[in-house]
Amino acid sequence: MLKGLIDQDHLDSTLAYLRRVRDETEEQPPPRRFLEFVARVLRGLRAGMIRVVDRDKHGTWVVDPFLVWCINQVFELAYVGNDRSKYRDFAHLEPQPFPPLRQVVVVHGGTNVRKGSFVGDGCIIYPQTFVDVGAYVDVTTSIGSHVLVGSCAQIGRKVHLSEGVKLGGFLGTDYNLPVIIEDYVRVGANTTIGPDVIVRKGAEIKAGLALDKDTHVYDAENIAWIRSDRRSG
């Protein structure tokens, strides 16, 4: 968790206010003022103080639809007037800096880690990689070159994403969960993983695979289908 981006009381009051706006119990402020409130939420996400997806008391991954709504407001407010042909990206979604005290190594050469995403200490991110808003990358994870970490994807600690890995985005879709990669997972090069897929702790995904929520999964060690519409035998 980062300090200095926003204090907890300020963040809590902002979240409470935006909930009232969303529920229409309070009048929405002018667009510029509204964006200022939403930008505080992005700072909370960037600091790791809040997460779009987290475990509930039973250990189940659950999306916070309110935070998804907050992020979507940034894109809605990024239109100039009512003309959606004149879309522009606000500064709130520009690449975030990583000062030396953060202990995050970003190898220069086209990498873009958007504000509104969290990257933990000790992470290494190689060139030509994109980490989208709402994503959470836990400590000491390594992300290879030409990797896409889609919006709201959740990556655990000490994960290794090899070159060319693509984790699909969540915003603007009808999926129930973004991509979730739990701790100590290794994902081989040029693998694509779509939303609604959870890669459990310690798993190893070979190179060049495409996984989505309908992919059949076979446990070769225990000789059993983990997820399939086929019957064993």
Side-chain angles (χ1 to χ4, degrees):
M1 185 181 297
L2 306 183
K3 297 180 179 180
L5 289 174
I6 185 170
D7 66 74
Q8 190 66 57
D9 290 342
H10 200 187
L11 178 59
D12 289 343
S13 63
T14 297
L15 292 173
Y17 171 75
L18 289 175
R19 287 184 189 277
R20 295 196 298 271
V21 171
R22 183 195 62 168
D23 297 338
E24 299 181 348
T25 59
E26 187 156 343
E27 184 177 354
Q28 182 171 314
R32 186 177 295 276
R33 181 64 174 158
F34 190 25
L35 185 61
E36 291 175 4
F37 283 106
V38 175
R40 295 175 193 169
V41 177
L42 294 184
R43 289 199 289 273
L45 289 166
R46 178 181 167 193
M49 299 165 68
I50 50 178
R51 294 176 66 168
V52 174
V53 187
D54 210 343
R55 294 182 187 272
D56 64 14
K57 62 181 180 180
H58 304 294
T60 302
W61 291 102
V62 178
V63 171
D64 186 337
F66 169 67
L67 292 180
V68 174
W69 176 83
C70 289
I71 296 173
N72 282 329
Q73 299 312 299
V74 179
F75 293 96
E76 289 294 324
L77 294 166
Y79 291 107
V80 180
N82 294 320
D83 187 353
R84 290 179 175 262
S85 67
K86 296 181 179 179
Y87 177 83
R88 63 188 177 92
D89 212 358
F90 272 95
H92 305 294
L93 294 176
E94 288 180 349
Q96 59 175 287
F98 290 98
L101 292 177
R102 284 294 324 280
Q103 299 178 356
V104 174
V105 177
V106 178
V107 181
H108 293 290
T111 290
N112 180 348
V113 181
R114 264 181 162 174
K115 293 177 180 177
S117 61
F118 171 79
V119 178
D121 289 347
C123 289
I124 302 175
I125 303 176
Y126 287 91
Q128 300 295 322
T129 285
F130 181 71
V131 180
D132 206 351
V133 63
Y136 187 99
V137 183
D138 214 336
V139 297
T140 61
T141 280
S142 172
I143 301 179
S145 60
H146 298 87
V147 170
L148 168 64
V149 178
S151 57
C152 303
Q154 307 290 297
I155 303 173
R157 60 180 57 210
K158 293 190 176 180
V159 169
H160 177 71
L161 302 181
S162 300
E163 290 75 9
V165 167
K166 303 291 185 292
L167 306 182
F170 178 68
L171 296 175
T173 71
D174 295 325
Y175 292 102
N176 296 313
L177 285 172
V179 177
I180 296 175
I181 310 293
E182 295 186 351
D183 299 343
Y184 311 114
V185 168
R186 298 181 64 85
V187 182
N190 298 316
T191 289
T192 299
I193 303 176
D196 271 347
V197 172
I198 301 175
V199 180
R200 296 296 185 184
K201 182 177 179 179
E204 182 171 348
I205 308 296
K206 297 299 184 180
L209 297 179
L211 302 176
D212 64 20
K213 64 184 183 67
D214 297 318
T215 301
H216 300 159
V217 180
Y218 187 77
D219 184 346
E221 182 175 349
N222 295 307
I223 315 177
W225 288 99
I226 297 173
R227 188 178 64 189
S228 174
D229 56 5
R230 306 181 188 185
R231 296 182 180 179
S232 60

